[in-house]
Amino acid sequence: KILVQDRALYWKGISFPAGGVEDGESFMEAAIREVKEETGLTVWNLKFCGIAHWYNDITGDRHLVFHYKTGDFSGELLSETEEGKIFWVDIEKLPDLNLADGFIDRLPMFFEEKIVERFQVWNENGYNPDIKWF
């Protein structure tokens, strides 16, 4: 089973717990903190899985998402936060759920361990359908 969140605020739908990096925080520290805030669980031994990277070809803005996973955790799972409901699900049942847009495309980073970067261009006209995988 894997832990997912039915996100109610940003990037709505089923995905993994996520969040931003605060000043003075490393990416891994941010991941540990966000999991604690959104699930109630303390995690450790995080393994880096890859980066999802978006580039706005008009403004030059970039959006990076660093992906981590672990099977090491302790604590009591919250059932819900303002971010959404949290629950365990069998991996094979994921495609049957209301997934966040583009979430299923990132799963190979976590489970196949061959892909380390997803890159896509976007601007106010939308997303370029050409996604590059490395």
Short mmCIF file of all heavy atoms in Angstrom, two decimals, residues 14-55:
data_model
loop_
_atom_site.label_atom_id
_atom_site.label_comp_id
_atom_site.label_asym_id
_atom_site.label_seq_id
_atom_site.Cartn_x
_atom_site.Cartn_y
_atom_site.Cartn_z
N ILE A 14 -6.13 13.07 -6.25
CA ILE A 14 -5.27 12.15 -5.52
C ILE A 14 -3.82 12.33 -5.97
O ILE A 14 -3.51 12.30 -7.15
CB ILE A 14 -5.70 10.69 -5.76
CG1 ILE A 14 -7.16 10.46 -5.38
CG2 ILE A 14 -4.75 9.73 -5.03
CD1 ILE A 14 -7.48 10.61 -3.92
N SER A 15 -2.95 12.51 -4.99
CA SER A 15 -1.51 12.58 -5.23
C SER A 15 -0.81 12.25 -3.92
O SER A 15 -1.46 11.89 -2.94
CB SER A 15 -1.09 13.96 -5.75
OG SER A 15 -1.23 14.93 -4.73
N PHE A 16 0.49 12.41 -3.91
CA PHE A 16 1.23 12.21 -2.67
C PHE A 16 1.23 13.51 -1.88
O PHE A 16 1.11 14.59 -2.46
CB PHE A 16 2.67 11.78 -2.96
CG PHE A 16 2.78 10.45 -3.65
CD1 PHE A 16 3.61 10.28 -4.74
CD2 PHE A 16 2.05 9.36 -3.20
CE1 PHE A 16 3.71 9.06 -5.38
CE2 PHE A 16 2.14 8.13 -3.83
CZ PHE A 16 2.98 7.98 -4.93
N PRO A 17 1.41 13.44 -0.56
CA PRO A 17 1.55 14.67 0.22
C PRO A 17 2.70 15.51 -0.35
O PRO A 17 3.71 14.97 -0.83
CB PRO A 17 1.89 14.17 1.63
CG PRO A 17 1.29 12.79 1.67
CD PRO A 17 1.47 12.25 0.28
N ALA A 18 2.53 16.83 -0.34
CA ALA A 18 3.53 17.71 -0.96
C ALA A 18 3.47 19.09 -0.33
O ALA A 18 2.55 19.40 0.42
CB ALA A 18 3.27 17.80 -2.45
N GLY A 19 4.44 19.91 -0.67
CA GLY A 19 4.43 21.28 -0.18
C GLY A 19 5.68 22.02 -0.57
O GLY A 19 6.52 21.50 -1.32
N GLY A 20 5.79 23.23 -0.07
CA GLY A 20 6.89 24.10 -0.45
C GLY A 20 8.06 24.06 0.52
O GLY A 20 7.97 23.53 1.62
N VAL A 21 9.16 24.64 0.07
CA VAL A 21 10.38 24.73 0.86
C VAL A 21 10.40 26.09 1.56
O VAL A 21 10.17 27.12 0.93
CB VAL A 21 11.63 24.60 -0.04
CG1 VAL A 21 12.91 24.72 0.77
CG2 VAL A 21 11.60 23.27 -0.78
N GLU A 22 10.65 26.09 2.85
CA GLU A 22 10.71 27.33 3.62
C GLU A 22 12.15 27.85 3.64
O GLU A 22 13.10 27.09 3.41
CB GLU A 22 10.21 27.09 5.04
CG GLU A 22 8.72 26.75 5.07
CD GLU A 22 8.17 26.53 6.46
OE1 GLU A 22 8.94 26.53 7.44
OE2 GLU A 22 6.95 26.33 6.57
N ASP A 23 12.31 29.15 3.92
CA ASP A 23 13.64 29.76 4.01
C ASP A 23 14.52 28.98 4.98
O ASP A 23 14.07 28.62 6.07
CB ASP A 23 13.54 31.21 4.47
CG ASP A 23 12.95 32.12 3.40
OD1 ASP A 23 12.92 31.72 2.23
OD2 ASP A 23 12.51 33.23 3.76
N GLY A 24 15.75 28.71 4.56
CA GLY A 24 16.70 28.02 5.42
C GLY A 24 16.54 26.52 5.48
O GLY A 24 17.24 25.85 6.24
N GLU A 25 15.65 25.97 4.67
CA GLU A 25 15.35 24.54 4.70
C GLU A 25 15.92 23.85 3.46
O GLU A 25 15.87 24.41 2.36
CB GLU A 25 13.82 24.41 4.66
CG GLU A 25 13.23 23.27 5.35
CD GLU A 25 11.70 23.33 5.37
OE1 GLU A 25 11.06 23.80 4.42
OE2 GLU A 25 11.15 22.88 6.38
N SER A 26 16.44 22.65 3.62
CA SER A 26 16.85 21.85 2.47
C SER A 26 15.60 21.21 1.86
O SER A 26 14.53 21.20 2.47
CB SER A 26 17.83 20.76 2.90
OG SER A 26 17.14 19.74 3.62
N PHE A 27 15.74 20.68 0.65
CA PHE A 27 14.61 20.01 0.01
C PHE A 27 14.14 18.81 0.84
O PHE A 27 12.95 18.58 1.02
CB PHE A 27 14.96 19.56 -1.41
CG PHE A 27 15.28 20.71 -2.33
CD1 PHE A 27 16.50 20.76 -2.98
CD2 PHE A 27 14.38 21.73 -2.55
CE1 PHE A 27 16.81 21.81 -3.83
CE2 PHE A 27 14.67 22.79 -3.39
CZ PHE A 27 15.90 22.82 -4.03
N MET A 28 15.10 18.05 1.37
CA MET A 28 14.74 16.88 2.15
C MET A 28 14.08 17.28 3.47
O MET A 28 13.10 16.66 3.89
CB MET A 28 15.94 15.97 2.41
CG MET A 28 15.51 14.64 3.02
SD MET A 28 16.76 13.36 3.04
CE MET A 28 17.06 13.08 1.33
N GLU A 29 14.60 18.31 4.12
CA GLU A 29 13.97 18.80 5.35
C GLU A 29 12.54 19.25 5.08
O GLU A 29 11.64 18.99 5.88
CB GLU A 29 14.78 19.95 5.94
CG GLU A 29 16.10 19.53 6.53
CD GLU A 29 17.00 20.70 6.87
OE1 GLU A 29 16.92 21.76 6.20
OE2 GLU A 29 17.80 20.56 7.81
N ALA A 30 12.33 19.90 3.95
CA ALA A 30 10.98 20.34 3.58
C ALA A 30 10.06 19.14 3.38
O ALA A 30 8.91 19.15 3.83
CB ALA A 30 11.03 21.18 2.31
N ALA A 31 10.55 18.10 2.72
CA ALA A 31 9.74 16.90 2.49
C ALA A 31 9.35 16.25 3.82
O ALA A 31 8.19 15.88 4.02
CB ALA A 31 10.50 15.91 1.62
N ILE A 32 10.30 16.14 4.73
CA ILE A 32 10.02 15.54 6.05
C ILE A 32 8.99 16.37 6.80
O ILE A 32 8.04 15.83 7.37
CB ILE A 32 11.33 15.38 6.85
CG1 ILE A 32 12.22 14.31 6.19
CG2 ILE A 32 11.05 15.06 8.31
CD1 ILE A 32 13.65 14.28 6.69
N ARG A 33 9.16 17.70 6.80
CA ARG A 33 8.23 18.59 7.50
C ARG A 33 6.84 18.52 6.88
O ARG A 33 5.84 18.41 7.59
CB ARG A 33 8.75 20.03 7.47
CG ARG A 33 7.78 21.02 8.12
CD ARG A 33 8.23 22.47 7.95
NE ARG A 33 8.58 22.82 6.59
CZ ARG A 33 7.70 23.05 5.60
NH1 ARG A 33 6.39 22.94 5.83
NH2 ARG A 33 8.12 23.37 4.39
N GLU A 34 6.77 18.58 5.55
CA GLU A 34 5.47 18.56 4.88
C GLU A 34 4.71 17.25 5.15
O GLU A 34 3.51 17.26 5.37
CB GLU A 34 5.62 18.78 3.38
CG GLU A 34 5.96 20.20 3.00
CD GLU A 34 4.80 21.17 3.16
OE1 GLU A 34 3.65 20.75 3.39
OE2 GLU A 34 5.06 22.39 3.03
N VAL A 35 5.41 16.12 5.12
CA VAL A 35 4.75 14.85 5.43
C VAL A 35 4.20 14.88 6.85
O VAL A 35 3.07 14.46 7.10
CB VAL A 35 5.71 13.65 5.22
CG1 VAL A 35 5.11 12.37 5.79
CG2 VAL A 35 6.03 13.48 3.74
N LYS A 36 4.97 15.40 7.78
CA LYS A 36 4.51 15.48 9.18
C LYS A 36 3.26 16.37 9.28
O LYS A 36 2.28 16.00 9.93
CB LYS A 36 5.64 16.03 10.06
CG LYS A 36 5.27 16.21 11.51
CD LYS A 36 5.08 14.89 12.20
CE LYS A 36 4.92 15.09 13.69
NZ LYS A 36 4.66 13.83 14.38
N GLU A 37 3.30 17.54 8.64
CA GLU A 37 2.17 18.47 8.71
C GLU A 37 0.92 17.90 8.06
O GLU A 37 -0.18 18.09 8.57
CB GLU A 37 2.53 19.79 8.02
CG GLU A 37 3.54 20.62 8.77
CD GLU A 37 3.98 21.86 8.01
OE1 GLU A 37 3.46 22.13 6.90
OE2 GLU A 37 4.85 22.57 8.53
N GLU A 38 1.08 17.22 6.94
CA GLU A 38 -0.07 16.78 6.17
C GLU A 38 -0.58 15.39 6.52
O GLU A 38 -1.70 15.04 6.16
CB GLU A 38 0.24 16.85 4.67
CG GLU A 38 0.45 18.28 4.23
CD GLU A 38 0.67 18.42 2.74
OE1 GLU A 38 0.48 17.44 1.99
OE2 GLU A 38 1.03 19.54 2.32
N THR A 39 0.25 14.58 7.21
CA THR A 39 -0.17 13.21 7.52
C THR A 39 -0.10 12.86 9.00
O THR A 39 -0.70 11.90 9.43
CB THR A 39 0.70 12.17 6.76
OG1 THR A 39 2.00 12.16 7.33
CG2 THR A 39 0.75 12.48 5.28
N GLY A 40 0.69 13.62 9.77
CA GLY A 40 0.92 13.28 11.17
C GLY A 40 2.07 12.30 11.36
O GLY A 40 2.46 12.02 12.49
N LEU A 41 2.62 11.78 10.28
CA LEU A 41 3.69 10.79 10.37
C LEU A 41 5.08 11.44 10.33
O LEU A 41 5.29 12.42 9.61
CB LEU A 41 3.58 9.79 9.22
CG LEU A 41 2.29 8.99 9.14
CD1 LEU A 41 2.30 8.07 7.92
CD2 LEU A 41 2.05 8.18 10.41
N THR A 42 6.00 10.87 11.08
CA THR A 42 7.40 11.25 11.01
C THR A 42 8.10 10.26 10.10
O THR A 42 7.96 9.05 10.29
CB THR A 42 8.04 11.21 12.42
OG1 THR A 42 7.32 12.13 13.26
CG2 THR A 42 9.50 11.58 12.37
N VAL A 43 8.81 10.77 9.09
CA VAL A 43 9.47 9.89 8.13
C VAL A 43 10.98 10.09 8.18
O VAL A 43 11.47 11.15 8.59
CB VAL A 43 8.97 10.14 6.69
CG1 VAL A 43 7.51 9.75 6.56
CG2 VAL A 43 9.17 11.58 6.26
N TRP A 44 11.73 9.06 7.78
CA TRP A 44 13.18 9.15 7.71
C TRP A 44 13.66 8.20 6.62
O TRP A 44 12.86 7.48 6.03
CB TRP A 44 13.84 8.86 9.06
CG TRP A 44 13.57 7.48 9.62
CD1 TRP A 44 14.35 6.37 9.46
CD2 TRP A 44 12.46 7.07 10.42
NE1 TRP A 44 13.80 5.29 10.11
CE2 TRP A 44 12.63 5.70 10.70
CE3 TRP A 44 11.34 7.70 10.92
CZ2 TRP A 44 11.73 4.97 11.46
CZ3 TRP A 44 10.44 6.98 11.68
CH2 TRP A 44 10.65 5.64 11.94
N ASN A 45 14.98 8.23 6.37
CA ASN A 45 15.58 7.42 5.30
C ASN A 45 14.91 7.68 3.95
O ASN A 45 14.62 6.74 3.19
CB ASN A 45 15.54 5.93 5.62
CG ASN A 45 16.46 5.55 6.74
OD1 ASN A 45 17.47 6.22 6.97
ND2 ASN A 45 16.12 4.51 7.47
N LEU A 46 14.68 8.94 3.64
CA LEU A 46 14.08 9.28 2.36
C LEU A 46 15.05 9.00 1.23
O LEU A 46 16.24 9.24 1.35
CB LEU A 46 13.69 10.76 2.32
CG LEU A 46 12.32 11.11 2.91
CD1 LEU A 46 12.27 10.86 4.39
CD2 LEU A 46 11.97 12.54 2.60
N LYS A 47 14.51 8.48 0.14
CA LYS A 47 15.30 8.19 -1.06
C LYS A 47 14.83 9.14 -2.16
O LYS A 47 13.64 9.22 -2.46
CB LYS A 47 15.10 6.74 -1.49
CG LYS A 47 15.87 6.42 -2.75
CD LYS A 47 15.63 4.99 -3.19
CE LYS A 47 16.39 4.77 -4.50
NZ LYS A 47 16.03 3.54 -5.13
N PHE A 48 15.79 9.85 -2.77
CA PHE A 48 15.47 10.75 -3.86
C PHE A 48 15.03 9.95 -5.08
O PHE A 48 15.68 8.99 -5.47
CB PHE A 48 16.70 11.60 -4.21
CG PHE A 48 16.48 12.53 -5.36
CD1 PHE A 48 15.68 13.64 -5.22
CD2 PHE A 48 17.06 12.27 -6.58
CE1 PHE A 48 15.47 14.50 -6.29
CE2 PHE A 48 16.86 13.12 -7.65
CZ PHE A 48 16.06 14.24 -7.50
N CYS A 49 13.89 10.34 -5.68
CA CYS A 49 13.33 9.61 -6.83
C CYS A 49 13.40 10.38 -8.13
O CYS A 49 13.33 9.77 -9.19
CB CYS A 49 11.87 9.26 -6.56
SG CYS A 49 11.63 8.19 -5.15
N GLY A 50 13.48 11.70 -8.08
CA GLY A 50 13.54 12.45 -9.32
C GLY A 50 12.93 13.84 -9.19
O GLY A 50 12.45 14.24 -8.14
N ILE A 51 12.97 14.57 -10.32
CA ILE A 51 12.50 15.95 -10.37
C ILE A 51 11.47 16.09 -11.48
O ILE A 51 11.67 15.60 -12.59
CB ILE A 51 13.66 16.92 -10.69
CG1 ILE A 51 14.71 16.87 -9.59
CG2 ILE A 51 13.15 18.34 -10.87
CD1 ILE A 51 15.98 17.63 -9.95
N ALA A 52 10.37 16.78 -11.19
CA ALA A 52 9.44 17.23 -12.22
C ALA A 52 9.74 18.72 -12.40
O ALA A 52 9.82 19.47 -11.43
CB ALA A 52 8.00 17.01 -11.80
N HIS A 53 9.95 19.13 -13.65
CA HIS A 53 10.45 20.47 -13.95
C HIS A 53 9.60 21.09 -15.05
O HIS A 53 9.45 20.53 -16.12
CB HIS A 53 11.91 20.31 -14.39
CG HIS A 53 12.58 21.55 -14.83
ND1 HIS A 53 13.77 21.52 -15.48
CD2 HIS A 53 12.27 22.85 -14.72
CE1 HIS A 53 14.16 22.75 -15.76
NE2 HIS A 53 13.26 23.56 -15.31
N TRP A 54 9.04 22.27 -14.75
CA TRP A 54 8.26 23.02 -15.74
C TRP A 54 8.96 24.34 -16.01
O TRP A 54 9.47 24.97 -15.10
CB TRP A 54 6.85 23.31 -15.23
CG TRP A 54 6.01 22.10 -15.09
CD1 TRP A 54 5.14 21.58 -16.01
CD2 TRP A 54 5.93 21.25 -13.96
NE1 TRP A 54 4.55 20.46 -15.52
CE2 TRP A 54 5.02 20.23 -14.25
CE3 TRP A 54 6.56 21.23 -12.71
CZ2 TRP A 54 4.70 19.22 -13.37
CZ3 TRP A 54 6.24 20.22 -11.83
CH2 TRP A 54 5.32 19.23 -12.16
N TYR A 55 8.97 24.75 -17.27
CA TYR A 55 9.60 26.00 -17.68
C TYR A 55 8.61 26.83 -18.49
O TYR A 55 8.02 26.33 -19.45
CB TYR A 55 10.85 25.70 -18.54
CG TYR A 55 11.44 26.94 -19.15
CD1 TYR A 55 12.08 27.88 -18.36
CD2 TYR A 55 11.37 27.17 -20.52
CE1 TYR A 55 12.62 29.03 -18.91
CE2 TYR A 55 11.91 28.31 -21.08
CZ TYR A 55 12.53 29.23 -20.27
OH TYR A 55 13.06 30.37 -20.81
#
